[in-house]
Amino acid sequence: MSKPKLHIIKIGGNVIDHEENLSSFLVDFSKLEGLNILVHGGGKKATEIAKKLQLEPKMIGGRRITDADNLEVVTMVYAGLLNKNIVANLQKNNCNAIGLSGADGNAIKANKRIVKEIDYGFAGDVDEVDTNTISVLLENNLIPVFCAITHNKEGQLLNTNADTIASELASGLAKKYEVSLTYIFEKKGVLESIDDEDSVIESIDSEMYETLKNNNIIAAGMLPKLENCFYALSRGVAEIHIANSDFITNKNTQHTTLSL
Ligand SMILES: Nc1ncnc2c1ncn2[C@@H]1O[C@H](COP(=O)(O)OP(=O)(O)O)[C@@H](O)[C@H]1O
Ligand SMILES: CC(=O)N[C@@H](CCC(=O)OP(=O)(O)O)C(=O)O
């Protein structure tokens, strides 16, 4: 028997930060049929609030160094302010969304990120996705909306890159569903030249990814995004696209498709 289709869409900080863009994206998202999950970042907002609190934000390799004070900020911003605003807006559009962190329903268990010589603080790498609660929600016509906060099952919240949350959810759910994963951000796709919006690379496989990396064509947040894409493809996710929000309503709009 074929698996039911599931669409996981991730939106980044630049989409969330523009009220009009976010609102029109959420209208389009609310009209999607079938099973859907939304994952949101919000790094830009967290940086803005941290600065207001005189905390100096620090990113390494697209990931936030999350000390105890910054963990409080990201928890309030991602799991509170942004997640609840997004859910309220979806509810306004008659989309029955339910906001979740990785601690809710034990959906996403993580461990403190340990990489040689870099102390990321309370940043988490995902160990396990528990798909049971998520499936129950989907089967009852609820639309899960995940923020970038996970837990370690010992009472510690952790800050996890939102692209990773999307790819781990997609990978975990691929056992039960035919998963299509879409990363929505402010550009049309992965660009050959960052200043030329029309230089979209239509398809990227793992070999081309290495070449693009070596030629410094992709950098910053695009590095973990693509890493997450190839990880998800290797774990059985059926299709992955990187695009701007026009793609939600028009699949023919220019975008990047990933393959192994
Ligand atoms: N070749 C590239 N094409 C498109 N974006 C790129 C490229 N290389 C680096 N980037 C940067 O990656 C960013 C996207 O990553 P990130 O900031 O994590 O996105 P998101 O908004 O989804 O969280 C873009 O805003 C852009 O500045
Ligand atoms: C550990 C880590 O880096 N977490 C990210 C989570 C938010 C995020 O990924 O937001 P965008 O998708 O908007 O970039 C951060 O705090 O920036």
Side-chain angles (χ1 to χ4, degrees):
M1 218 174 67
S2 65
K3 297 181 199 167
K5 287 187 192 254
L6 169 67
H7 198 175
I8 300 179
I9 298 179
K10 187 262 169 173
I11 49 170
N14 280 311
V15 179
I16 297 171
D17 228 44
H18 292 95
E19 211 173 306
E20 273 174 41
N21 291 357
L22 177 63
S23 165
S24 79
F25 166 81
L26 293 174
V27 167
D28 293 338
F29 179 84
S30 302
K31 290 179 188 155
L32 292 177
E33 297 191 343
L35 303 176
N36 297 291
I37 293 177
L38 180 61
V39 177
H40 66 83
K44 247 187 131 180
K45 192 75 181 174
T47 296
E48 183 193 314
I49 306 275
K51 281 186 177 160
K52 278 190 192 163
L53 296 168
Q54 264 115 50
L55 298 171
E56 201 43 58
K58 209 169 147 198
M59 308 290 291
I60 297 182
R63 290 186 175 88
R64 188 176 309 264
I65 306 294
T66 312
D67 63 10
D69 287 340
N70 275 290
L71 180 67
E72 288 193 0
V73 172
V74 296
T75 304
M76 290 188 275
V77 172
Y78 304 156
L81 182 69
L82 298 178
N83 190 265
K84 298 311 141 194
N85 263 314
I86 288 170
V87 170
N89 272 289
L90 289 170
Q91 290 291 346
K92 181 181 83 177
N93 303 336
N94 294 317
C95 174
N96 201 4
I98 182 162
L100 301 165
S101 75
D104 298 284
N106 191 29
I108 310 168
K109 183 180 164 294
N111 67 80
K112 217 159 166 284
R113 182 177 178 80
I114 297 169
V115 178
K116 287 180 281 178
E117 289 163 18
I118 302 172
D119 182 5
Y120 283 90
F122 296 103
D125 285 335
V126 174
D127 295 325
E128 210 179 323
V129 170
D130 182 337
T131 57
N132 290 325
T133 310
I134 304 170
S135 294
V136 169
L137 296 174
L138 290 169
E139 279 153 24
N140 284 280
N141 302 317
L142 284 150
I143 290 99
V145 177
F146 277 95
C147 68
I149 299 294
T150 55
H151 75 145
N152 69 353
K153 201 98 182 4
E154 286 171 24
Q156 179 66 57
L157 294 173
L158 294 164
N159 176 21
T160 298
N161 178 282
D163 291 343
T164 304
I165 299 263
S167 106
E168 291 280 0
L169 282 173
S171 303
L173 288 157
K175 293 179 198 97
K176 197 164 173 185
Y177 300 92
E178 186 188 318
V179 180
S180 159
L181 171 62
T182 305
Y183 286 99
I184 299 292
F185 75 138
E186 81 280 12
K187 302 192 189 302
K188 287 182 184 167
V190 182
L191 305 175
E192 181 89 49
S193 156
I194 191 84
D195 301 319
D196 179 3
E197 258 294 328
D198 290 316
S199 65
V200 178
I201 306 169
E202 283 185 13
S203 59
I204 301 178
D205 61 15
S206 30
E207 202 184 318
M208 187 169 182
Y209 171 52
E210 290 305 319
T211 311
L212 291 171
K213 241 187 345 187
N214 294 336
N215 295 339
N216 295 321
I217 287 173
I218 45 173
M222 191 48 73
L223 287 168
K225 199 185 290 302
L226 290 179
E227 236 173 72
N228 278 303
C229 289
F230 289 112
Y231 169 81
L233 285 172
S234 74
R235 301 270 311 271
V237 172
E239 54 172 32
I240 307 187
H241 305 285
I242 299 179
N244 73 10
S245 48
D246 293 343
F247 182 72
I248 297 300
T249 49
N250 178 9
K251 297 283 176 282
N252 293 322
T253 192
Q254 265 193 309
H255 65 277
T256 304
T257 300
L258 283 301
S259 62
L260 279 177

